[in-house]
Amino acid sequence: SPAGRILACNPAFVNIFGFSSAEEAAKTNLPSLCCDPKSWDVFLALLKKKKALEQYIAEYQRLDGQIIHTVENVIGNFDDQGNLIDIKGFVIDNTERKKLEEQLRLSQKMEAIGTLAGGIAHDFNNILTAVLGKAEMGLLKLPEENRAEHNLKEILKAGKRARDLVRQILTFSRQQEQEARPLELAAI
């Protein structure tokens, strides 16, 4: 009904909303299951304007509290004065598809983060190569027992740690192949 009272429904409707029977469904007003209290009024206004709705997307809360996403095809039955008498239609549970779409979006975000991390790692690796090269050349040109030797060795040590970090980032972004090789755990 325009007030949202369920006049009749099939077993699929009963299952989608978590009712135990069609009789239980008939005791419930559909607007009470809407996640947004204003959504029923928005639905009615649109139906009165268009007379029929195809692929209308809605969100409800089942009796067990689970949120469900639906796609609805409905038609309004109007009297001669244009007053809405009742609503007939089909409700399709679209919850699983909605979950899969969200997983796909998350996967695409992770892929974008990996691509970004890979680009940053490559740029950082170029800078790091210059720093390590200059530090190594500086060590070769230093006279023995120079005070700068300790500092250059620390730069090399930190640079090598940074290079290992870049390799991990590139592995995460899957832009650099890693070779499998035996590892002696005791030594580590």
Side-chain angles (χ1 to χ4, degrees):
S1 73
R5 199 172 109 239
I6 300 166
L7 304 174
C9 65
N10 63 13
F13 184 93
V14 169
N15 287 336
I16 288 171
F17 289 92
F19 295 113
S20 60
S21 65
E23 292 76 26
E24 181 187 13
K27 296 176 186 173
T28 305
N29 275 354
L30 202 52
S32 68
L33 300 176
C34 292
C35 290
D36 179 1
K38 297 175 186 174
S39 64
W40 184 257
D41 294 332
V42 171
F43 167 78
L44 282 179
L46 195 57
L47 181 61
K48 288 176 183 176
K49 180 180 177 184
K50 294 189 172 191
K51 309 297 184 210
L53 302 174
E54 290 185 22
Q55 302 295 310
Y56 183 79
I57 296 172
E59 192 175 80
Y60 297 96
Q61 187 171 5
R62 287 172 39 103
L63 293 183
D64 63 7
Q66 178 186 345
I67 302 297
I68 57 171
H69 302 274
T70 64
V71 175
E72 303 169 14
N73 293 327
V74 296
I75 188 165
N77 184 19
F78 295 87
D79 65 17
D80 294 337
Q81 288 78 36
N83 297 316
L84 182 61
I85 299 170
D86 60 24
I87 304 162
K88 296 177 181 156
F90 299 95
V91 176
I92 300 164
D93 186 354
N94 199 36
T95 306
E96 193 60 35
R97 180 178 178 162
K98 194 82 167 164
K99 286 180 185 175
L100 290 172
E101 286 173 357
E102 188 57 38
Q103 287 175 350
L104 177 60
R105 266 192 293 283
L106 182 60
S107 173
Q108 289 170 337
K109 281 183 187 177
M110 291 303 293
E111 184 178 343
I113 289 171
T115 302
L116 178 65
I120 292 170
H122 276 296
D123 289 345
F124 185 66
N125 203 33
N126 292 339
I127 296 167
L128 198 55
T129 299
V131 169
L132 288 172
K134 296 291 183 182
E136 286 174 351
M137 286 174 51
L139 271 176
L140 291 174
K141 292 183 178 181
L142 273 180
E144 287 189 31
E145 301 298 324
N146 191 305
R147 293 184 341 180
E149 181 180 7
H150 173 72
N151 292 337
L152 286 173
K153 285 183 179 180
E154 287 299 313
I155 290 171
L156 282 172
K157 188 163 61 169
K160 288 175 183 175
R161 283 197 319 258
R163 185 175 53 201
D164 290 342
L165 181 60
V166 167
R167 282 191 186 126
Q168 289 176 7
I169 293 170
L170 289 173
T171 299
F172 168 76
S173 68
R174 293 188 176 104
Q175 293 186 8
Q176 179 177 340
E177 291 295 321
Q178 292 290 306
E179 69 176 71
R181 60 180 179 199
L183 190 63
E184 188 180 332
L185 291 176
I188 293 174

